[in-house]
Amino acid sequence: MGLSRVRAVFFDLDNTLIDTAGASRKGMLEVIKLLQSKYHYKEEAEIICNKVQVKLSKECFHPSKSCITDLRTSHWEEAIQETKGGAANRTLAEECYFLWKSTRLQHMTLAEDVKAMLTELRKEVRLLLLTNGEQQTQREKIKACACQSYFDAIVVGGEQKEEKPAPSIFYYSCDLLGVQPGDCVMVGDTLETDIQGGLNAGLRATVWINKNGMVPLKPSPRPHYIVSSVLELPAVLQSIDRKVSVSA
């Protein structure tokens, strides 16, 4: 049997549909202002935020051992103590964490052109949001950017046995939509999870969003398509479907 038209598209969330990195930077800037104006920190404020950023990038979260709020408050507590010395200051750490988190969520929005694209795509194919990450954190982002209504289903990695790039979460997503892996396209900004996962699961195609023209430094998964913006996706889907028409 030959190839059929694309029936479903799986979207990553962070830095694919919403600018998580940009929102996080804005949150850090607010914390720097707080530390400098209220607590009279000088260059230490930026050092603390840089340390927290490193801790977030290396974060290993185990739901059975702690909650995400405690873990991330501890990042701030450790960064403050490492920078300023003295006794741990949990109260200040909590103030910093909640300011960073609330500012970050305020800036997590779906752009109008992204909303329009999703609305148009959904007239032709089924749409599923497939995001890795801790349950509470990802659900807060989903609520903040109000994206639920644009999707037929939402799957959060932290709520499943395995996250991307494990094939199981892709098969689960296919079952939710009543489609086969060969009917689906995965769209995301991370080669190691979004693209590798789509390849592992045998999806029809993978689309890598490479906003900054990054060149991978090491051998890495090879996406079927590379775009600089998620808004280029409709043209990619048309290209895939044209190949079906030609082969037919």
Side-chain angles (χ1 to χ4, degrees):
M1 193 171 78
L3 292 171
S4 61
R5 295 172 72 87
V6 172
R7 295 181 60 202
V9 179
F10 300 166
F11 284 93
D12 174 51
L13 177 64
D14 294 301
N15 302 308
T16 295
L17 293 176
I18 60 173
D19 183 12
T20 306
S24 291
R25 282 193 296 272
K26 287 172 180 169
M28 291 295 182
L29 288 173
E30 288 303 309
V31 175
I32 289 170
K33 286 182 198 170
L34 169 79
L35 291 173
Q36 290 176 340
S37 62
K38 184 175 176 182
Y39 295 99
H40 309 295
Y41 287 21
K42 294 177 182 174
E43 62 275 2
E44 303 103 321
E46 202 165 327
I47 293 168
I48 289 165
C49 287
N50 288 340
K51 283 180 179 289
V52 170
Q53 196 63 56
V54 171
K55 292 175 191 294
L56 287 167
S57 70
K58 296 178 178 177
E59 186 174 84
C60 290
F61 176 68
H62 302 286
S64 59
K65 295 181 181 176
S66 67
C67 76
I68 196 71
T69 298
D70 286 344
L71 177 64
R72 291 191 166 170
T73 302
S74 293
H75 293 336
W76 287 98
E77 186 176 28
E78 290 164 10
I80 292 164
Q81 194 170 20
E82 288 165 11
T83 305
K84 295 288 286 182
N89 189 338
R90 191 74 176 180
T91 304
L92 177 56
E94 287 174 347
E95 188 177 3
C96 291
Y97 168 63
F98 285 110
L99 176 60
W100 170 76
K101 175 182 167 179
S102 62
T103 304
R104 188 168 94 124
L105 287 172
Q106 284 168 19
H107 288 94
M108 288 185 178
T109 56
L110 276 184
E112 291 302 319
D113 50 8
V114 172
K115 291 179 184 176
M117 179 196 70
L118 293 172
T119 300
E120 286 303 307
L121 283 178
R122 202 168 172 205
K123 295 174 182 176
E124 304 291 333
V125 297
R126 307 204 74 190
L127 302 184
L128 180 139
L129 186 68
L130 179 54
T131 175
N132 274 5
E134 186 270 334
Q135 175 184 8
Q136 177 188 327
T137 303
Q138 296 310 103
R139 287 291 174 185
E140 286 172 347
K141 292 176 190 173
I142 290 163
K143 184 178 179 182
C145 72
C147 66
Q148 300 97 315
S149 62
Y150 295 92
F151 292 94
D152 296 288
I154 292 175
V155 177
V156 174
E159 297 170 358
Q160 303 298 317
K161 290 180 181 176
E162 297 180 295
E163 295 191 308
K164 299 177 287 186
S168 62
I169 196 167
F170 289 87
Y171 299 151
Y172 174 77
S173 299
C174 289
D175 289 344
L176 279 181
L177 298 185
V179 295
Q180 296 299 314
D183 299 327
C184 305
V185 173
M186 178 69 210
V187 184
D189 71 304
T190 307
L191 289 170
E192 295 78 14
T193 53
D194 302 317
I195 304 309
Q196 187 63 64
L199 296 171
N200 290 347
L203 298 197
R204 173 69 163 283
T206 54
V207 182
W208 182 36
I209 306 215
N210 185 7
K211 293 178 184 174
N212 304 314
M214 185 186 82
V215 178
L217 296 175
K218 57 185 180 182
S220 55
R222 296 184 64 178
H224 297 88
Y225 299 89
I226 301 174
V227 296
S228 60
S229 164
V230 73
L231 297 173
E232 297 173 51
L233 181 66
V236 171
L237 295 177
Q238 286 176 6
S239 173
I240 295 171
D241 284 338
R242 269 201 303 273
K243 289 179 182 177
V244 172
S245 302
V246 170
S247 65

